[in-house]
Amino acid sequence: MNLFKQLFGGSPSVDLESLIKDGAFLVDVRTPGEFAGGHAKGSVNIPLDQLPQQLSRFRNKKNIIVCCQSGGRSGQAKVILEKSGITNVINGGNWNNVAQYC
């Protein structure tokens, strides 16, 4: 169950609101078309398939919150980033879940 929560979000121990108010780097990993249809205020669009080429944008960030449509792609993004040595990543799940705190 813990692995499921790590991959797909929903962990009650993460205070998204406080992290966002503290200036977390918000990244929406959906396609540009999906992002254009709506996104959390202040988030940047870095599609999942472009993460490996964009790792420099994640370095030296205090907290990173990734989101997507359902939490699946953001779960994959979290794994990709962590395998690249970026460990301060939280899967915010659905972008609407993140947007409520922005």
Side-chain angles (χ1 to χ4, degrees), residues 27-71:
V27 181
D28 190 318
V29 297
R30 297 177 297 152
T31 65
E34 289 174 298
F35 185 80
H39 56 272
K41 183 179 176 183
S43 64
V44 297
N45 184 220
I46 305 175
L48 182 63
D49 64 348
Q50 295 178 17
L51 281 183
Q53 295 83 22
Q54 299 290 327
L55 292 176
S56 63
R57 295 180 72 180
F58 294 89
R59 305 260 183 235
N60 301 316
K61 302 292 187 201
K62 182 176 177 183
N63 291 297
I64 300 164
I65 299 173
V66 290
C67 63
C68 63
Q69 186 63 38
S70 67

Side-chain angles (χ1 to χ4, degrees), residues 1-14 68 70-76 78-79 82 90-94:
M1 183 67 171
N2 189 32
L3 178 61
F4 181 81
K5 283 186 177 184
Q6 286 179 349
L7 290 176
F8 298 104
S11 175
S13 62
V14 175
C68 63
S70 67
R73 284 177 280 180
S74 54
Q76 292 175 33
K78 177 177 169 57
V79 170
E82 288 177 342
I90 294 116
N91 181 357
N94 178 286

